[in-house]
Structure formats: structure tokens, C-alpha cells
DNA sequence: TATGCGTGGAA
DNA sequence: TTTCCAAGCAT
């Protein structure tokens, strides 16, 4: 007879006064909270968009993107009806592009299945693409005042110190534990403000380095501060270093046009546009590799290229080192699907990753010379 | 559970 | 310069 392991139940330390903690934190939050564009009201769609944008992304970075996005796509229906290319363009430069593709897919789902109303139950909202445990909790608590936790990196850092926890916050299991503990501290009727208040404390006071304990509104409750070990928490396992990748890129010029192609709809830089690239085997002549690529994969005859520049870009898991060559088109139409010739003006309609915008900037600067 | 998925700011 | 990291999710 096999039996599933019972989940461990975690409870707050006896000495932790959860009710008083929440009251003092909310008092501080009401007075000190930042004036942010997504705090104008609690419209579920506005909250939703903000939470997706804020994933792994700084508040100051998000602000201008959020304003622009809400102006272009003010409602669930507007986002659902928009061309994907336009939505991707509005996200250009923000990173983690699958977020916005999932967001639009979910907006379409909300439009057809829920009449355009963002669902207000954990079961329904968690089914939406791109909505995980944190985002579900954030939307439900902020927009609908459902008393559920919203545990992000800030919350784990604050609670690690507050409750003197040495759990590794890089491990998924720690988030489960945190959710249980946070849930037990949520004050009735103010779930949304409370969740935001913990995050606000993490962003303004309980910083990753040099926490500002002397100005902390909940100094008295912090068990790590009581022991003087706040600088050693939270415990966080180290990430692997990025893997280096050598790449060759061809900027194929035909008159005043350039060859670009759309990346696959899944994986790295999904759905964005780029110049044709090939991984550098490192053994042969660079230009020779590119000529073969363009002939075989694209059906294009091109003139032997000139070296243009080197571009480097580090992702969280990859380090790209890209050598860029400029080549003149001789003959042939692009065979490859999603490969097109466009002018540099037309290029501005397409969403490129930051890496390629560096190349485009260089080309634009040199276009007068050519 | 571990890994893939962006970008730019701060120290 | 390097490292860390910022309101995570999907697989």
C-alpha cells in the first residue's frame, strides 16, 4: 500500500505577533506608499498588466512601458483584438517576451470564456497563461480583496529576516512554506494592501544589501534584527554562470533593403525579428560559413562580406559573442519562411531584441556613407 | 526539482 | 569590471 506524503504544515513562531505586525506595517504603508501608475485604481485588467510587467523587472523600468501599453490597449478586449506584432512592439526592450504573448493569449481567453471579466477565483485565474502562484495571488488580493498570499522575491526576503528563516529562497519548496506563513498574517479586509505593503517594505527598507533597519516600521517584530543577523539573510543558492556562445550574423543588403527573419514562436527571444545568424563552428573562415548558410538555408547568392562589428550580449543563462558582416545581395529570393527584405524605415515596425537594435543603430549611423 | 527565459541599474 | 539582482512562469 503506497501513500502520498502528507504536506508539512508550517506555523508562525509563538513570539511573532502577527496581528500587531500587520497593523504597524499597514500604518506605514498608508503613509509612505509610492505613487505608481498602476495604483490609480484597482481595475483587475490594470492590475493584471502591471503584475505581468513587473515580473523580474524594476519599477522604474516598467513605468513608461505601462503607460504606453495601457494607452494602446486600455481594456481586455482591446488587447485581445490587437495584432500580435503591435503588442510585441509595445513590449520591445522589456525582456522575457513570452510574458506578453501569454498575456495576449490569456486576454483572448478572458474575452471569450469570461465575457471580458477577469475571473476572481484561484482555480479560474490560475488557468490563464502566464499567471502563476504569485500573479494569481496579487490580482486576487489587490483587485478583488481575496485573502490569499502573493509571495515574490521581496516577500521571501522580508519574511526570511522577520521570522529568522534560513531556508534557501532559490528553492521552489521555500515559496510554498512562505505562502503558508504569509497567509496566517493577512489581516481581514486588507489583503491587497497587506501584500503590497510587504513588497513595498522590501523595495524601500528591507533591501537585499544594507537593510535600513533604523527606519523600519516593523523593527520591533524582526527576529533576525533581534539576533543581529539581518545581513546574512535571506539564504540564496547561486546560479550557474552563463554559457558562452559564438555567433556569426549576416546583414544582407539589397539596394536600400535588409534581410530579416522572425524567430520561432517558442524559446529564446520568441517571435522577435533578427538578422540571419549561425553558430560559429570556430574552425572555418567566418565569411565562408555565412555564404554557405545564405545559399543553403535562404537560397541567396551574396557578395563576399565586410566585417562590420562585434556585439556581445549576456542573458541570464547565455553569453552571446556575435561577429557581424555586411554582404551585398546578388540574386535569389528568400526561400525561408518568415524571411523578408525591408527598408530601415520599415524595420521600425518590427520588434527586435536589444542585441539587434545595437546592430541596427550601427547600420543607420553608417548608411550615409554607403 | 532544475533549467530556460531579457534587460538594465546599482554597488 | 563583475556580480547581483527586480512585483516569476513554464516545463
Amino acid at each position: 500500500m503506497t501513500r502520498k506524503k502528507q504536506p508539512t504544515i508550517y506555523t508562525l513562531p509563538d513570539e511573532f505577533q502577527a496581528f500587531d505586525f500587520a497593523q504597524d506595517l499597514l500604518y506605514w504603508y498608508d503613509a509612505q506608499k509610492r505613487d505608481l501608475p498602476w495604483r490609480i485604481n484597482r481595475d483587475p485588467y490594470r492590475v493584471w498588466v502591471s503584475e505581468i510587467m513587473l515580473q523580474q523587472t524594476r519599477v522604474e523600468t516598467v513605468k513608461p512601458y505601462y503607460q504606453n501599453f495601457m494607452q494602446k490597449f486600455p481594456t481586455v478586449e482591446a488587447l485581445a483584438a490587437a495584432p500580435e506584432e503591435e503588442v510585441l512592439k509595445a513590449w520591445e526592450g522589456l525582456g522575457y517576451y513570452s510574458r506578453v504573448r501569454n498575456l495576449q493569449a490569456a486576454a483572448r481567453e478572458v474575452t471569450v470564456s469570461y465575457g471580458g471579466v477577469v475571473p476572481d477565483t484561484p482555480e479560474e485565474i490560475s488557468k490563464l497563461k502566464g499567471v502563476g502562484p504569485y500573479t494569481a495571488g496579487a490580482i486576487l488580493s489587490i483587485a478583488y480583496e481575496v485573502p490569499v498570499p502573493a509571495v515574490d522575491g521581496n516577500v521571501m526576503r522580508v519574511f526570511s529576516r522577520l521570522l529568522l528563516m534560513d531556508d534557501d529562497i532559490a528553492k521552489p519548496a521555500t515559496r510554498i512554506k512562505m505562502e503558508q506563513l504569509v497567509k496566517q498574517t493577512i489581516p481581514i479586509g486588507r489583503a491587497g494592501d497587506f501584500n503590497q505593503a510587504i513588497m513595498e517594505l522590501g523595495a524601500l527598507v528591507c533591501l537585499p544589501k544594507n537593510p535600513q533597519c533604523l527606519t523600519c516600521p516593523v523593527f520591533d517584530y524582526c527576529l533576525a534584527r533581534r539576533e543581529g543577523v539581518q545581513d546574512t539573510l535571506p539564504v540564496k543558492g547561486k546560479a550557474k554562470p552563463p554559457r558562452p556562445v559564438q555567433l556569426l550574423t549576416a546583414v544582407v543588403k539589397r539596394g536600400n533593403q535588409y534581410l530579416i527573419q522572425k524567430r520561432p514562436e517558442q524559446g529564446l527571444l520568441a517571435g522577435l525579428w533578427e538578422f540571419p545568424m549561425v553558430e560559429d563552428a570556430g574552425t572555418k573562415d567566418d565569411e565562408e560559413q555565412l555564404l554557405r548558410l545564405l545559399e543553403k538555408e535562404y537560397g541567396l547568392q551574396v557578395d563576399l562580406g565586410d566585417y562590420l562589428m562585434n556585439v556581445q550580449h549576456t542573458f541570464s543563462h547565455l553569453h552571446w559573442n556575435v561577429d557581424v558582416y555586411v554582404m551585398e545581395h546578388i540574386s535569389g529570393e528568400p526561400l525561408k519562411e518568415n524571411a523578408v527584405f525591408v527598408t530601415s524605415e520599415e524595420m521600425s515596425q518590427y520588434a527586435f531584441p536589444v542585441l539587434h537594435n545595437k546592430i541596427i543603430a550601427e547600420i543607420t549611423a553608417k548608411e550615409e556613407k554607403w
Side-chain angles (χ1 to χ4, degrees):
Chain A
M1 185 81 98
T2 58
R3 173 190 300 266
K4 275 203 170 160
K5 199 168 84 177
Q6 287 298 115
T8 311
I9 307 298
Y10 298 99
T11 56
L12 295 166
D14 291 335
E15 67 266 41
F16 180 67
Q17 299 295 318
F19 181 84
D20 293 336
F21 162 78
Q23 294 304 307
D24 286 358
L25 180 61
L26 282 170
Y27 184 85
W28 170 82
Y29 178 73
D30 289 339
Q32 304 293 332
K33 68 183 175 191
R34 287 169 292 179
D35 201 6
L36 301 173
W38 44 91
R39 287 182 176 162
I40 293 173
N41 58 42
R42 294 187 169 210
D43 173 55
Y45 172 68
R46 291 179 58 87
V47 173
W48 181 15
V49 171
S50 75
E51 292 301 339
I52 299 299
M53 273 194 185
L54 286 162
Q55 288 171 5
Q56 302 297 104
T57 310
R58 294 170 183 279
V59 165
E60 290 308 313
T61 303
V62 166
K63 278 182 182 174
Y65 281 93
Y66 183 77
Q67 304 276 29
N68 178 55
F69 198 92
M70 294 311 300
Q71 186 175 342
K72 282 200 169 71
F73 317 110
T75 64
V76 175
E77 290 84 354
L79 178 58
E84 186 193 53
E85 195 58 42
E86 201 176 312
V87 176
L88 223 45
K89 187 71 186 172
W91 205 269
E92 185 184 63
L94 258 185
Y96 287 133
Y97 298 95
S98 292
R99 287 185 294 174
V100 74
R101 295 159 41 75
N102 286 336
L103 177 61
Q104 190 182 29
R108 289 174 174 166
E109 174 67 17
V110 168
T111 300
V112 301
S113 297
Y114 299 103
V117 180
V118 180
D120 63 353
T121 68
E123 295 72 27
E124 289 174 318
I125 203 164
S126 297
K127 285 181 190 161
L128 298 175
K129 284 189 180 179
V131 177
Y134 163 75
T135 305
I139 299 172
L140 290 172
S141 64
I142 297 171
Y144 294 117
E145 206 54 61
V146 180
V148 292
V151 175
D152 72 336
N154 281 312
V155 176
M156 291 204 281
R157 181 173 62 257
V158 169
F159 265 64
S160 289
R161 289 170 177 162
L162 193 66
L163 304 184
L164 196 58
M165 299 167 61
D166 61 1
D167 304 68
D168 184 350
I169 65 169
K171 293 189 178 304
T174 303
R175 201 205 70 244
I176 306 294
K177 179 174 179 177
M178 293 281 180
E179 285 174 345
Q180 291 186 32
L181 297 171
V182 171
K183 192 172 194 313
Q184 298 170 46
T185 71
I186 298 174
I188 296 167
R190 295 204 65 183
D193 282 342
F194 179 73
N195 284 334
Q196 292 188 82
I198 302 172
M199 294 188 275
E200 196 80 344
L201 188 72
L204 300 180
V205 179
C206 197
L207 307 175
K209 293 171 186 172
N210 304 316
Q212 309 292 298
C213 299
L214 296 183
T215 62
C216 181
V218 289
F219 176 98
D220 290 340
Y221 304 91
C222 185
L223 303 184
R225 179 67 187 82
R226 199 171 292 177
E227 302 292 328
V229 297
Q230 68 278 32
D231 290 309
T232 72
L233 297 173
V235 174
K236 185 173 183 181
K238 296 211 189 305
K240 290 198 313 184
R243 177 171 57 89
V245 179
Q246 283 291 127
L247 293 165
L248 299 171
T249 293
V251 175
V252 180
K253 200 170 184 305
R254 186 179 74 182
N256 64 346
Q257 293 184 309
Y258 300 93
L259 179 66
I260 62 172
Q261 67 175 355
K262 199 178 202 296
R263 291 181 61 91
E265 299 296 328
Q266 297 211 341
L268 184 65
L269 303 171
L272 299 191
W273 293 78
E274 66 180 7
F275 300 109
M277 293 201 300
V278 62
E279 190 155 349
D280 188 351
T283 53
K284 290 281 184 180
D285 187 22
D286 289 350
E287 291 95 330
E288 199 59 35
Q289 286 187 53
L290 283 173
L291 289 178
R292 280 211 311 276
L293 169 78
L294 292 166
E295 167 138 24
K296 280 189 173 174
E297 297 282 321
Y298 296 83
L300 297 176
Q301 312 294 320
V302 301
D303 200 356
L304 196 59
D306 290 326
Y307 176 75
L308 176 67
M309 67 191 299
N310 176 269
V311 185
Q312 298 192 238
H313 192 75
T314 303
F315 303 85
S316 37
H317 58 303
L318 295 176
H319 178 83
W320 276 7
N321 189 319
V322 187
D323 282 319
V324 185
Y325 292 83
V326 178
M327 306 194 166
E328 286 286 344
H329 172 264
I330 296 173
S331 64
E333 286 296 319
L335 303 170
K336 197 157 182 164
E337 196 174 354
N338 290 328
V340 292
F341 278 102
V342 297
T343 66
S344 58
E345 280 81 29
E346 289 166 337
M347 239 186 275
S348 65
Q349 310 292 319
Y350 298 83
F352 288 85
V354 165
L355 170 84
H356 281 265
N357 277 326
K358 293 176 190 169
I359 301 172
I360 291 170
E362 184 71 16
I363 293 169
T364 306
K366 291 198 173 180
E367 249 180 3
E368 305 167 11
K369 275 173 60 182
W370 294 340

